[in-house]
Amino acid sequence: MDFSAVLTDSVTYSLEALMGKWLRWAIFIVFALPASLIRFVINPKTFVASTGGINWSAIPWSQIAILCGVGLLLSFFITGYIVRIYRGVKPAPDFTGWTNLFIDGIKLDIVWILWFMPGIVITVLTSAEFLVSFTDTSGSNLSFLLLLSLLLIAGSILIIIALLFGILGVIRFARTNSISEGINFSQILTQIRTIGWGNYIIALVLFAVAAAIYFVVVMVIAFIPYIGWIFILVVNPFFTIFVARYFTLIYELGEQHQVSPAPEM
């Protein structure tokens, strides 16, 4: 597998998608704005009570709820746009067919939820029960703690599996327009075997390295006084498109039967 070609194509694709496409770029920025504004309504200094605890009544819950709600609704348009990239549209598509964008975005999130729900539910519930039971070290409770530990390991394994298969699953959903195909374990396993487990793991490692470099850059930018958060809004769309294109190319390497991209509405 020519990973350098995949990386080069992904970078070029993301640059061509936004450079000179100012309206498209502005949509990414504006739609991410509500989530970024949450930091300005949360001031930790005002939440600390004189007793050292948290003054929950001082938290502007209504403002946070509005920003989160608006941000969530707008995020569906962005994830819907990602679905079009997953379908292999080249050059990068425009923001058109807004209703279909919104619906596709919701469906994409549903596929991710279906993949991660079992592992997260088991891990969260087991962790909570583990914390409650940890203080009891009586002999009769040790076997229960062992069972909880095994369940916690099982939940963690499920999350890892969800990540490995979900990455290709969401692209399979985009290509077939079927949520059930997006969680079709056997077909996705066949896809990975066609790619090659070694190649797939290397692709994930390379992405992890690229993501780490990006997040270091973002952390540095975030320290720029007053305008750092604006710069992050500006550069985030490049990484979003890069990630979508990167895994689209990885997916296509494992296609046994070419699936025509769904028509753009």
Side-chain angles (χ1 to χ4, degrees), residues 6-72:
V6 173
L7 288 169
T8 300
D9 183 291
S10 302
V11 171
T12 302
Y13 185 93
S14 60
L15 290 174
E16 292 178 347
L18 297 175
M19 298 302 294
K21 313 297 192 303
W22 308 119
L23 178 59
R24 189 186 299 169
W25 199 347
I27 291 173
F28 270 99
I29 294 172
V30 172
F31 282 18
L33 193 57
S36 297
L37 293 177
I38 293 177
R39 74 187 68 190
F40 295 104
V41 300
I42 298 179
N43 184 359
K45 294 181 180 178
T46 63
F47 303 154
V48 179
S50 58
T51 58
I54 298 178
N55 183 8
W56 297 103
S57 61
I59 300 178
W61 294 110
S62 59
Q63 297 179 41
I64 294 174
I66 291 173
L67 289 174
C68 288
V70 173
L72 177 63

Side-chain angles (χ1 to χ4, degrees), residues 87 107 111 169 172-183:
R87 287 172 177 160
K107 288 180 178 179
V111 173
R172 182 175 179 81
F173 149 71
R175 297 298 178 96
T176 62
N177 199 29
S178 169
I179 292 177
S180 61
E181 284 299 316
I183 56 174

Side-chain angles (χ1 to χ4, degrees), residues 62-84:
S62 59
Q63 297 179 41
I64 294 174
I66 291 173
L67 289 174
C68 288
V70 173
L72 177 63
L73 291 175
L74 293 179
S75 73
F76 292 137
F77 292 106
I78 300 300
T79 51
Y81 183 88
I82 291 173
V83 168
R84 292 184 179 175

Side-chain angles (χ1 to χ4, degrees), residues 145-242:
L145 290 177
L146 177 60
L147 175 61
L148 290 178
S149 300
L150 294 176
L151 287 175
L152 188 61
I153 294 173
S156 300
I157 293 174
L158 286 176
I159 290 176
I160 294 174
I161 292 175
L163 181 62
L164 289 173
F165 284 77
I167 289 173
L168 299 183
V170 290
I171 304 176
R172 182 175 179 81
F173 149 71
R175 297 298 178 96
T176 62
N177 199 29
S178 169
I179 292 177
S180 61
E181 284 299 316
I183 56 174
N184 190 327
F185 184 88
S186 62
Q187 289 299 318
I188 298 171
L189 179 59
T190 300
Q191 190 97 17
I192 296 176
R193 287 172 174 169
T194 303
I195 296 171
W197 275 103
N199 287 330
Y200 188 46
I201 296 301
I202 292 174
L204 292 175
V205 170
L206 287 176
F207 168 73
V209 172
I213 294 173
Y214 172 76
F215 285 120
V216 168
V217 172
V218 166
M219 289 178 61
V220 173
I221 294 176
F223 282 106
I224 300 176
Y226 305 111
I227 60 174
W229 67 281
I230 297 178
F231 284 140
I232 293 175
L233 279 176
V234 170
V235 301
N236 270 345
F238 286 98
F239 187 70
T240 299
I241 295 174
F242 166 82

